[in-house]
Amino acid sequence: MKHRVFNCFKPIASLGQKLTPSHRGSLIISIPVICLFTSLGTFAWLKNSLIEDETWVQHTQKVRLETKQLLTALVNAETGVRGYGMTGRSDFLDPYHTALKIIPQSLNELEILIKDNPQQTQQLQKIRQLVTQNLETMDKKVRFLQSLSEKNDKFRLNDSPSQLYDWLEEGKVLMDSTREEINIFAAEEERLLEVRQDHLESQRQTTSIIFYFLAFTGTISGFLAIHLFRELELDRKEREKNLQATNQQLSLVCEQLQRFTANASHELRAPLAAILSNAQMGLLTPNQAQSRHRLEKVVELTKSMSVLVNDLLFLARYEGVNLRQEFKVVDLVNLLQPLTQEWQNRAYSYNLTLTSYWPQSSIMVMAESNLLRQAIVNLLSNACRYTPAGGSIYFKVFCQNLKAIVEVEDNGIGIPTQDLPHIFERFYRVDTMRSRSTGGFGLGLAITKQIIEAHGGHIDVSSTLEKGTIFQIILPVLGVHT
């Protein structure tokens, strides 16, 4: 039976497999959540509807009771006046006096209860007028009979009981009209009570049906969520298996690449050092001009190869290495001011102007001083290389939004927009011929990016051709001290 239930969900599961794992996870979570909130919302709505219907039924029953109490009080008042008129005994007036207190209260209570029903309100106004007339008539009769009793003149109406009875029967038409209007009012309330009781019963049946439906839907949704979760778990295991295989392959390739880079660098360093030493010694010995020129070229190329090897070693050494344990609190201003003084002289040798801007306060960061200095040197070196003679370089250090910012700006040749996303890649050169002429291998910016990211920061660049380039290094700051 269980397998049959899950087989029913296979079309839904196949549709779910087209979704991403995060979307499928959201779907699995949303199914019981939606069912829960739908059930709670429906339960609250049904409960409120039942409470409202029960309130209306109780309200109508209360109106019926007040109507019966009004009619009973009116009849008791009439009976008491009749008894007093026939016998002259004042104890017959007790129901009348009690009714005088009850009738106004009942009328006022009924007016409050039916204020939301214009038809019944209008009917009650007619009843109030008739009741008032009846009470006035009874009051006149009682006062008249009391005055006769005080004068011992009770049978002054021709001493005829039949005439007295006829006199007491006056207002019977008015009383009958009042009863008829009260009965009409009560009949309408009976009709409303029947309608509201039927609606309440219908609402209870609807509630039962909806509860059964929600229980059925909740069960189906639970099975669906379980099935989708099983499918997601199987898919996750399959993806995890594939990911592990891919990671193993990537780790093997990365390990081989790093080993090759490290080995090649070490293997090249020794012969290069020997070539450099021999070439420099050859320059010290008097030789022909052509020989000297070749030796100078050997020295130049050897130095260039040495730079390349050092860069490769640097990338291999710090690839994926956590440098946090080597960090110390460093004053960025004190660290970089000597650097700019050194590079002002180098800029001068390129016929360039280097202008620096410093904050009034110290900027404290967590850093490895030598590595951070190397990153800045790479940016200054690029600025000098790619800025034509007579140009300007601006070096700025400042703090903004709790971030330390080191900015290197030049008005050099700039970088094409299509090349900006790639300039931090290893061995990437915007213009190969131009980079070779300036002595670049396309590793400086990759090294800079690696250093800055190891410090928990990032590097931004903006550039316009023939107008210049701006590099910004953004680092988390520990504090600013004046």
Side-chain angles (χ1 to χ4, degrees):
M1 178 64 183
K2 184 177 180 181
H3 293 291
R4 291 181 181 178
V5 173
F6 284 132
N7 288 336
C8 297
F9 298 133
K10 283 187 176 180
I12 300 176
S14 62
L15 178 63
Q17 289 177 351
K18 298 179 181 179
L19 302 175
T20 62
S22 60
H23 288 164
R24 275 193 283 169
S26 300
L27 177 62
I28 292 172
I29 295 174
S30 65
I31 289 174
V33 171
I34 291 174
C35 289
L36 174 63
F37 282 102
T38 302
S39 300
L40 290 176
T42 305
F43 176 79
W45 172 70
L46 291 173
K47 182 179 180 181
N48 290 334
S49 298
L50 287 174
I51 291 174
E52 184 179 358
D53 288 340
E54 289 175 353
T55 302
W56 277 113
V57 169
Q58 294 174 1
H59 174 272
T60 307
Q61 290 175 342
K62 190 173 183 180
V63 173
R64 289 174 63 234
L65 292 176
E66 286 294 338
T67 304
K68 289 180 179 179
Q69 185 175 356
L70 172 64
L71 183 59
T72 301
L74 190 61
V75 171
N76 289 341
E78 181 188 24
T79 303
V81 172
R82 283 175 175 272
Y84 179 68
M86 297 294 295
T87 65
R89 292 169 53 185
S90 60
D91 56 334
F92 278 93
L93 290 179
D94 291 341
Y96 168 74
H97 292 300
T98 302
L100 290 179
K101 298 178 181 179
I102 294 175
I103 290 174
Q105 294 177 357
S106 295
L107 289 172
N108 292 334
E109 184 66 19
L110 284 172
E111 187 174 8
I112 295 173
L113 291 173
I114 64 168
K115 62 182 179 181
D116 56 342
N117 189 334
Q119 179 180 352
Q120 288 291 82
T121 300
Q122 185 177 2
Q123 181 68 19
L124 183 62
Q125 293 300 325
K126 294 170 60 177
I127 293 173
R128 184 185 287 274
Q129 293 175 0
L130 292 173
V131 168
T132 301
Q133 293 177 12
N134 276 284
L135 292 178
E136 290 176 352
T137 301
M138 293 180 190
D139 182 68
K140 291 179 180 178
K141 292 179 180 180
V142 170
R143 290 179 182 276
F144 180 75
L145 291 173
Q146 286 176 343
S147 64
L148 292 179
S149 175
E150 291 172 357
K151 298 177 181 180
N152 293 322
D153 201 12
K154 181 176 179 180
F155 302 102
R156 193 172 291 176
L157 293 176
N158 299 323
D159 295 330
S160 173
S162 60
Q163 290 182 1
L164 178 61
Y165 181 82
D166 292 337
W167 181 79
L168 292 173
E169 284 292 308
E170 290 181 6
K172 184 176 181 301
V173 176
L174 181 60
M175 176 60 73
D176 291 339
S177 298
T178 304
R179 289 181 178 178
E180 183 179 355
E181 295 298 332
I182 292 176
N183 289 333
I184 294 173
F185 181 88
E188 177 62 18
E189 288 301 321
E190 290 290 340
R191 186 190 70 80
L192 290 175
L193 178 61
E194 183 178 356
V195 170
R196 288 167 180 171
Q197 286 177 336
D198 291 341
H199 189 271
L200 177 60
E201 183 62 26
S202 175
Q203 192 69 21
R204 287 173 176 168
Q205 294 176 359
T206 303
T207 301
S208 300
I209 294 172
I210 292 177
F211 274 142
Y212 288 132
F213 175 78
L214 288 176
F216 175 78
T217 305
T219 303
I220 297 298
S221 300
F223 280 114
L224 177 60
I226 293 172
H227 181 70
L228 291 176
F229 182 81
R230 290 178 58 189
E231 293 292 330
L232 180 61
E233 181 66 15
L234 293 175
D235 184 70
R236 184 193 65 80
K237 291 181 178 179
E238 183 66 24
R239 288 173 180 266
E240 184 178 358
K241 182 179 178 181
N242 294 336
L243 183 60
Q244 288 176 352
T246 304
N247 285 340
Q248 290 177 354
Q249 295 177 356
L250 288 175
S251 298
L252 180 60
V253 172
C254 185
E255 183 180 352
Q256 292 174 348
L257 178 60
Q258 289 181 352
R259 189 183 303 115
F260 167 78
T261 304
N263 292 338
S265 300
H266 283 293
E267 291 296 330
L268 286 173
R269 174 175 285 181
L272 284 174
I275 292 173
L276 178 60
S277 177
N278 291 329
Q280 288 176 335
M281 290 299 295
L283 288 176
L284 296 177
T285 307
N287 286 316
Q288 296 179 357
Q290 186 176 5
S291 233
R292 183 176 182 83
H293 175 72
R294 289 180 178 178
L295 287 173
E296 289 176 349
K297 189 66 175 178
V298 169
V299 172
E300 181 182 349
L301 291 174
T302 304
K303 288 181 178 180
S304 177
M305 291 300 295
S306 180
V307 171
L308 173 60
V309 170
N310 288 332
D311 288 346
L312 288 173
L313 279 173
F314 182 92
L315 291 171
R317 184 182 301 118
Y318 293 105
E319 181 72 31
V321 176
N322 187 359
L323 300 175
R324 297 279 179 182
Q325 57 188 2
E326 300 180 18
F327 288 177
K328 296 180 181 179
V329 179
V330 175
D331 182 355
L332 200 60
V333 177
N334 291 339
L335 176 66
L336 299 181
Q337 276 183 341
L339 190 65
T340 55
Q341 293 172 2
E342 175 186 346
W343 275 88
Q344 280 180 340
N345 296 329
R346 295 195 183 186
Y348 181 77
S349 67
Y350 284 94
N351 195 19
L352 301 172
T353 302
L354 175 61
T355 306
S356 59
Y357 299 88
W358 303 98
Q360 299 294 328
S361 306
S362 298
I363 301 177
M364 311 306 293
V365 297
M366 291 294 295
E368 205 287 323
S369 301
N370 293 328
L371 293 179
L372 188 57
R373 188 186 298 111
Q374 180 62 43
I376 308 302
V377 166
N378 289 344
L379 295 183
L380 291 173
S381 176
N382 281 351
C384 290
R385 286 178 183 175
Y386 300 113
T387 302
S392 299
I393 300 173
Y394 303 95
F395 184 82
K396 304 176 184 177
V397 178
F398 57 95
C399 188
Q400 181 177 334
N401 296 329
L402 298 179
K403 298 291 184 181
I405 300 177
V406 180
E407 182 177 287
V408 177
E409 179 183 358
D410 64 64
N411 57 1
I413 58 178
I415 303 172
T417 304
Q418 66 272 16
D419 291 314
L420 285 176
H422 307 288
I423 61 174
F424 295 104
E425 297 175 6
R426 297 178 184 183
F427 297 107
Y428 186 86
R429 290 178 292 222
V430 176
D431 186 333
T432 305
M433 298 304 297
R434 181 175 60 188
S435 297
R436 286 178 178 171
S437 66
T438 56
F441 292 101
L443 292 175
L445 289 178
I447 292 174
T448 299
K449 183 173 184 290
Q450 183 172 307
I451 293 173
I452 298 306
E453 289 182 348
H455 282 76
H458 63 277
I459 182 169
D460 294 336
V461 58
S462 60
S463 183
T464 304
L465 279 176
E466 307 303 331
K467 290 187 178 181
T469 304
I470 301 175
F471 283 93
Q472 276 194 345
I473 292 176
I474 297 96
L475 297 171
V477 67
L478 290 179
V480 178
H481 304 288
T482 56

